[in-house]
Amino acid sequence: MRIDRSRLHDTVLAGLVAAISVALFVLYGPDRLQAEGLPVGGMRRPDALGVLLVVLACVPVAVRRRWPLAALCAGLVPETFLNVFGYGTGMSSLSGLVLLYSVASYRGLAIALGALLLSLVTYVTGAVAGPVRAAGWNEYVVVAVVLVAVWGAGRSLRLRRAYLEELKDRATRLERAHAADTRAARAEERSRIARELHDVVAHHVSVMTVQAAAARRVLASNPELAREALSAIEHTGRMAMTEMRNIVGVLRTDSRADARAELGPQPGVRDLPALVEQMREAGLPTRLRTEGEPAPLPAGVDLAAYRLVQEGLTNSLRHAGAGAQAVVTVRHDAHELDVRVEDDGQGAPREPAGEMSLPPGHGLVGIRERVALYGGILSIGPLPGGGFGVRARFPLKDGQ
């Protein structure tokens, strides 16, 4: 059975306050006060009734956190009777101070102000109605100052508690926001890596598939040609492994110089001749045309242009059909890079919505995302004279 620690602590506190209050109530009777030269006119001697009223005034302390205002009201009743019956203010006011502090600590400002006003009114009423008179106005002022000070201490604790709760809540919100940002960054990185892996794997596997099919057809009739096709497959596979190793390398947490040295530069427009030659070996006659004066390109645009050509040629290899040819055109301009991949084959299949595009998969999505990332304009579809084309125009800032 679980024990409510706060209720247990309040019960112990109530017993402690009651014990102290009863002891002081009995010790500081009229005889003791008179011996010390204090006025005791009309004060009643301690008796069983007085002790009972003191204990009753301290009992509500046991529920001061659960029902602070009700406990204060219940405690003020026997305290008022103590004053009215002539026992004087006594030390029963100790429980009243604890209960006033509790209301100020655990309730809102309006209720706390009401509790302070109630305590002041109750004290004044008991002092006026009882037979015991204070030595002067300074005694009333001291009591009022003590009540206000206790109330202020309770409010200060409540405000500090609220401030700490706000700090905890803010820290929790920041932690959630940080976790959300981390998840978003991870998702974005996974998407980027997925696009890179698709571009590499789809291209090289397509080339290897076409070469393997050609080797199978000529294996019996022309072993030498089949051997060349198998060598091309081996070379393409090694290239695919190298590029995949470079991409996966970014996932490593080791930041040492030798780990970074394993990562080669990303492919770009400068590597298009090798890509075109690879497509020729795979069985797709391909020409590369360069217009304008080549200039250094931003790394992101350079990689995006290469991936676009790679994806376009891969789809031409897949869907253009036998006898088709492809032309890659790269036009350099002062403010724009124009990249086109066109073939004269049968083109890609038409989508249900009626829009001609690349076959479904990561390829089209990856191209669109890459071009959009750098503010480019992408057009994909059939050509007027037959065939299929992919074109992207990347804007360049300040001639770069």
Side-chain angles (χ1 to χ4, degrees), residues 260-316:
R260 293 196 300 268
E262 295 177 8
L263 306 181
Q266 292 283 7
V269 174
R270 66 185 179 279
D271 300 301
L272 290 181
L275 178 62
V276 168
E277 182 62 28
Q278 185 185 49
M279 299 308 296
R280 290 198 193 104
E281 295 176 358
L284 177 66
T286 308
R287 291 186 295 118
L288 174 62
R289 295 191 305 186
T290 303
E291 301 176 0
E293 185 67 25
L297 298 172
V301 174
D302 200 19
L303 176 61
Y306 178 87
R307 293 304 186 198
L308 181 137
V309 174
Q310 186 181 54
E311 185 66 29
L313 291 177
T314 300
N315 281 275
S316 296

Side-chain angles (χ1 to χ4, degrees), residues 39 46 58 112 124 179 200 207 226 287 295-296 370 397:
C58 298
V124 172
V200 171
V207 173
R287 291 186 295 118
R370 288 181 188 278
K397 298 180 181 180

Side-chain angles (χ1 to χ4, degrees), residues 13 27 96 101 112 141 167 191 227 241 278 342 367 397 399:
L13 178 62
L27 292 176
Y101 173 84
V141 172
L167 288 180
S191 177
R227 187 179 298 106
M241 289 299 297
Q278 185 185 49
E342 300 171 340
I367 287 180
K397 298 180 181 180

Side-chain angles (χ1 to χ4, degrees), residues 100-136:
L100 178 61
Y101 173 84
S102 302
V103 176
S105 299
Y106 295 102
R107 289 297 179 264
L109 180 60
I111 296 178
L113 287 173
L116 176 62
L117 180 62
L118 179 62
S119 297
L120 291 172
V121 170
T122 301
Y123 170 73
V124 172
T125 301
V128 172
V132 181
R133 292 292 179 266

